[in-house]
Amino acid sequence: STPAARRVSPPPLTGSSRVCVRLEGAMGDEDSDIDPFDMLGGMGEEEVYKVTLVPEKASADSAAEAADDPSAGQLHQAATDNSGLPEEALAQFLRRAEAWLLDVEAGAPVPEVPAGLAPGVEADCTALLDLLPAARSGDLPAVLAAQWLEPVAAALAGRRAAAEGSLPAFRADLRAAAATFAPGAGDEDAAEASAARGAGLLVVAVASLQLYLRANWTGPPPEDVGPFSLDDTKDPTAPEKEILDALEVDGEPVYELLVGAGYLWLALELLGLLPGGLGGAGAVGSSLPVWRGRAAFVWQLSLAEASERGIGQAPRLFEASICALVGDGAGSRGALCGPRLMEGKELEAVQRVTAPVLRSWRRGGGVSEAEALLRERRRIHEAPACAAALAEAPGRIRSALITELLVRLCWYGRTKPYDEVASKACEAINFKYEVTGVMGIKRVYQTVEFAQLMCKTETGGDNTQDGSQSKSKTDGDGAVPARLSLLEVDDMTDVMETPKVSDSLTEGEKGQLEKPLTSAEQVILLARCHFLWVNGNPNDELLLQEVNALAQRVLALERTEREADVADGPLLTANWLSFSCGLWYRCRAEHHRNKTRERAAFQLQSLVDQFKDERPSAGHRLLLAHSAGFPARFHLQREMGTRMMRMGMVSTAHEQFKKLRMWPEAIDCLMVAERNVEAIEMVQGLLETGPTPRLWCCLGDLEREPKHFETAWVLSKKRFARAQRSLGREYFKREKLAEAVVAFKLALEINPLHAGIWFTTGVAEMRLLRWEDALQTFSRCIGVEDENSEGWANLAACHSQLGNLPQARTCMSEACRRARESWKMWESFQGICMQLRDIQGVIQAMRRLAELDQGARVQERILGMLTQAVVADADGLYDHRTGKAFEKALNDFFKFMADKCSSRAFVWRFWAELQDSMGDRKTALECRMKQNRAGQSQLWEEREPDRFTTKLEDLRECLEVIANTLAEPAFKEVAAEQLQPFAYSVRDVAKRLFEKVDLPGGAPAEWKKDLALIQAVCAQVEAQLAAGQGCTP
């Protein structure tokens, strides 16, 4: 990206003055104050260093402090500027220009072209500078109108009139034009003159991507004057369908009604993301990995079945949008790895949840050898340069980029490292927040204050200024997106828009609750909303209240309008798009309440309609398009249809989905309305006019006919993975397990990022007794979804069947860690530990069962074996210890069980045996007494003869042990207290057992034998009483 570092000679030094030298080596950066002459003497020929001379008074530390200021109006002018080094000045200019494209504040000034450049390079930089505002606002026609980009514009000019099948030729022409415009721009050893032109190709890619976002996400609708059509009123032409087909990735097609899909294709081609586009078409720059990740995630969101719930996710795009930014955990570094970005624990946390997916995909053949070499080249050359450039950027840019990563992690379901990464984003702008209770009222006529859930924020700057929505100007004048109030929807409501906080709060505390936020602060709170939404139950009212508190904090307005560009109009919020996203999350949080449901529905419609508003400008809206997580227009329309269906407006929702050509959702509406025949007729009619693989799959779902899925598979030229997934599910339901496995594996070869399909495939293989195949399948399953507890449990079952008990224990331990509330997991863990003779593991499992109120599942047989192993000091145990080593752990477990399961007689019996072995016979006698009471209560309630016999034998043994113990001289004092009540207890047992044995029909011989023995115990105890060992009865 940036020019290659070369040896440079320092300027002559006068006298004995010293300078601060920044020395950057191949493996990292080091700042040190050394003498340049000493340094030059130690350089080896095999090493290349970049040396920058910095005046001692303007040290690198002060430069870092300037860059950290989130309120800075312009990018940090590094103290390393040196007009005598044109190569370094050019590199710094290009870094600042690219950072300006990444900025989230509209007021940041465009950097200036440095002096001292060669005339041709200076002209290129000036031309590049003129294009930056147009590129950031998505005005690609204005970018291509520049004379500087004439070769690229000429290659794009004829695309509108292209014929079907001309895409490969157009692609070749585009590459040739890029090579003509910027020869060798993609080569790190190229001449410096090509650096600005390589950045020019990046600007074209950025402008194309931003234009696509404008046409589908933010609005206002752009003029249809570019090289690709933006007409959304007619069906795609043949060349446009060719582009839609080219955007299919990992067996997942794009949404068929995308507006301006050609601009997405162009951005992907220039950034080198399309298959076969090895190295791209020449776009370079220090921020290239960032824009490549952005384009990949936009591509992901454009897929027809893309969902944050795990459907339609492409592993190739997961790798480009996340893993390329954070590395793969195997020594590679990403573009967001480094000082002042992400390092240490937060980076390790992200890699722990992303690297397994990447390894699983690569192991399955998802990356060709050529692609692997390209990724390695990018890792070596691009990622370090990007990290170094971003480290110099202001805190608001770094925070926004880390927040982007957070949004993507949440969308892909990798939410475990959220807290660590979010803290890094907050640290970059010195921002803190918490959702807490604040005393106040929520209703107009409420007189008693209660704790209201609100979001409190704190920044490193002045926090005394506050904003108040009640004092803001009316909405609808362009100051903020159209906001519907509750009174506008229901003039009888008594619910306030936001809680009115208590007057006891200080002005500073009120400011923390009401002060308007900056753009970077708003997107952090929006990322938290996204995390809560995807990580929790959307029907959990407590979760929705927290989302609402965060959204309301984003919606805090300024008291006075911000000065803005003429095209933007007056603004009362930091950013129009983040405000819109706050309204969207407020809608999601209000759909469950009767008082706010109507407002939420109308507000959602308003968010769709505002797409066509002329103000604010596209440039302002696009500032946070990648960070805020705002949905595409067609996603908002689909959510509207879903809300209509849930509110009972099924027919209206059906028409909405038909208009959007979202056929599965339209079919669902007809199925809910019990109009199954109409649904089949609708799909058949569509197939007659324009058959597609998706429509054949819809018909297959309706008729449950496997042939329809096979037709879809053939029609897609064996690329539509959903056809095989649906076919596999149908075979699985019909118990055709072998056929289901074949279908699933065909689908997974194309797109392995479906943990549910891996899981079902493994289950089918287990039923077919293919244990080794199932072992591999479940390994891939947990590689895709590490939190799948059932996948870990089934992996443990496969290891157990294959005799790999230690591995089975490890896998089952992971399953229990992820599903601590599932007694089934702990019972399975107990079984594996028993096979391994793992006493500690068995104790842990039984304790957890008792904690889950499943004490009845603590088996007498297992507890007895455990006690016997400890009492007998058994050897040959799992961890090479003997039984006595677990004496204390088992004793603690019995203490716990005595509180949880005191009515189970065998617990007291085994505890007594353990106490006897430990020499605590007094406590053992107390346990026997409790065993006697618990045993009698269970015995007389037992109706099954065999169980009665077993419990009777246990009780008789208990009575004999107690009688013999009380007869010992050492227990004379205890006998004086316990012998008489014990005698009463024995007599009662003998009497009730005699009555049961004497019943008509006879009794088993074992009962009569036990009766005789119990009567003998009774006689023994009475003899002891007569001898004066206890109180006279």
Side-chain angles (χ1 to χ4, degrees), residues 81-110:
D81 282 348
N82 193 320
S83 58
L85 300 175
E87 295 178 359
E88 180 62 21
L90 173 63
Q92 289 188 10
F93 164 74
L94 293 177
R95 287 198 295 269
R96 295 188 192 120
E98 293 178 42
W100 187 88
L101 287 175
L102 298 173
D103 209 330
V104 295
E105 294 292 342
V110 179

Side-chain angles (χ1 to χ4, degrees), residues 14 149 163 176 251 256 325 372 395 423 438 469 504 542 556 616 657 700 913 992:
T14 58
L149 290 170
E256 60 181 293
L325 299 180
S423 64
V438 179
Q469 296 186 17
S504 62
L542 184 60
F657 289 131
E913 292 179 4
R992 297 183 68 173

Side-chain angles (χ1 to χ4, degrees), residues 535-600:
N535 201 45
N537 180 2
N539 297 318
D540 183 354
E541 292 193 14
L542 184 60
L543 179 144
L544 294 176
Q545 288 181 22
E546 185 175 354
V547 171
N548 186 66
L550 292 164
Q552 293 287 8
R553 189 67 187 87
V554 172
L555 299 180
L557 296 176
E558 299 278 2
R559 290 182 181 272
T560 58
E561 296 172 349
R562 291 169 173 255
E563 294 184 5
D565 188 85
V566 176
D568 295 336
L571 295 175
L572 290 171
T573 182
N575 187 273
W576 182 91
L577 191 70
S578 59
F579 194 93
S580 298
C581 200
L583 290 174
W584 177 52
Y585 277 113
R586 190 184 70 178
C587 291
R588 286 184 154 190
E590 289 184 344
H591 277 293
H592 72 291
R593 296 182 58 197
N594 292 331
K595 290 280 189 179
T596 56
R597 182 177 298 160
E598 290 186 12
R599 195 265 291 272

